[in-house]
Amino acid sequence: MTIVPLNRAAHSGLRIDPARAAEAAAAVHLVPLVASEIRQVAGQFPVFLAKDAETGQFYPAALMGLEPQENLFWNGAALEADVLPLNLLRLPFFVVGEDTEAAIAIDEASPAIGPQGTCTIVDAEGAETEYFRSVQTILGRLLQGQGETRRLVDLMLETKVVREIKLDLAFHDGSTSLLTGLYGIDEVALGRAREKIAAFDDLMILAAMALSLDKVAALVRRKNARIEAQSAWFTPGG
């Protein structure tokens, strides 16, 4: 990964294939979210809180794999999901910095960049393309959502609706997986804290996160299917 500030002069000639941008997600099992997308994303993936390794701060994230560097929705060519987190849709672009210091950057090593790409940053007249404007909209949502997401996480902690969850899982081939460092919304605690959560939207987001934990079972099914498909390659006549 080679992330550099986006520069019109240096990058105006880049060609980008958005479909290949998703390849970067093939080795991502946990994708950070902003508050405004949690309810929608929770309909597809289990949503947990995780801790930033550097700051120790909690952040909401969609779980897409049951081991580090595993994405069970990646089929080798695309992500099999009706809804994707903004942090995947923005690729290969990034927001670096915060607030007035924020700027757009690009991963120059992304597999999405190459002569086969159908999208550009600027058109023949030098104006921003519709594709790049859509990317800016996504990056804008991520940037604008930072403060609201921190507020929501603070609310979860203040109302004590968060509990640590260890995923100790077994699969059909006898292999196991243990995921730690995840925190979910406790339905019982949420019920007790309802009167402390003044905003209806906040309550609905937390409820969506609590209900999304049931989708861990769907990840296990995907994992078992992947194991079976891989073992078929080593089975005589398979």
Side-chain angles (χ1 to χ4, degrees):
M1 189 176 291
T2 307
I3 300 175
V4 300
L6 191 67
N7 181 284
R8 179 181 286 265
H11 299 120
S12 60
L14 291 183
R15 303 195 67 84
I16 300 164
D17 181 353
R20 293 205 65 192
E23 289 184 28
V28 176
H29 78 299
L30 203 59
V31 182
L33 305 171
V34 291
S36 63
E37 64 178 325
I38 289 176
R39 285 182 63 182
Q40 186 178 26
V41 171
Q44 181 88 62
F45 312 104
V47 177
F48 291 88
L49 289 182
K51 274 189 178 180
D52 186 288
E54 295 182 0
T55 66
Q57 293 182 330
F58 285 100
Y59 64 92
L63 186 68
M64 301 180 72
L66 296 175
E67 295 180 34
Q69 299 185 326
E70 171 187 74
N71 192 319
L72 293 169
F73 290 82
W74 177 254
N75 64 12
L79 286 166
E80 298 175 325
D82 296 327
V83 176
L84 291 176
L86 295 174
N87 267 308
L88 296 184
L89 295 175
R90 63 162 170 78
L91 295 173
F93 298 92
F94 293 77
V95 172
V96 293
E98 293 188 11
D99 302 323
T100 59
E101 302 297 322
I104 298 177
I106 188 168
D107 176 14
E108 291 184 328
S110 170
I113 297 175
Q116 79 286 348
T118 57
C119 297
T120 59
I121 295 171
V122 297
D123 60 23
E125 286 72 42
E128 293 177 350
T129 60
E130 182 178 349
Y131 160 73
F132 186 55
R133 287 195 297 272
S134 69
V135 169
Q136 288 177 301
T137 298
I138 293 171
L139 295 175
R141 285 187 62 189
L142 288 169
L143 183 60
Q144 293 167 11
Q146 290 175 352
E148 176 64 14
T149 305
R150 284 193 293 266
R151 183 199 65 78
L152 182 67
V153 171
D154 287 344
L155 175 66
M156 297 180 202
L157 300 176
E158 290 167 6
T159 54
K160 299 180 180 180
V161 298
V162 176
R163 65 182 175 93
E164 186 174 5
I165 296 177
K166 293 181 180 180
L167 297 181
D168 191 358
L169 306 168
F171 307 109
H172 288 171
D173 66 344
S175 63
T176 61
S177 176
L178 175 63
L179 277 180
T180 60
L182 297 176
Y183 300 79
I185 300 300
D186 186 307
E187 287 188 43
V188 175
L190 181 59
R192 290 197 299 262
R194 285 182 61 183
E195 294 183 359
K196 299 178 183 178
I197 303 172
F200 179 74
D201 285 347
D202 289 343
L203 182 62
M204 294 303 291
I205 290 173
L206 299 188
M209 287 181 63
L211 292 172
S212 76
L213 302 186
D214 290 342
K215 292 180 171 54
V216 171
L219 286 178
V220 172
R221 289 193 294 271
R222 281 182 172 269
K223 178 74 170 182
N224 281 326
R226 178 171 290 188
I227 290 171
E228 292 170 5
Q230 290 172 343
S231 65
W233 285 94
F234 300 98
T235 302

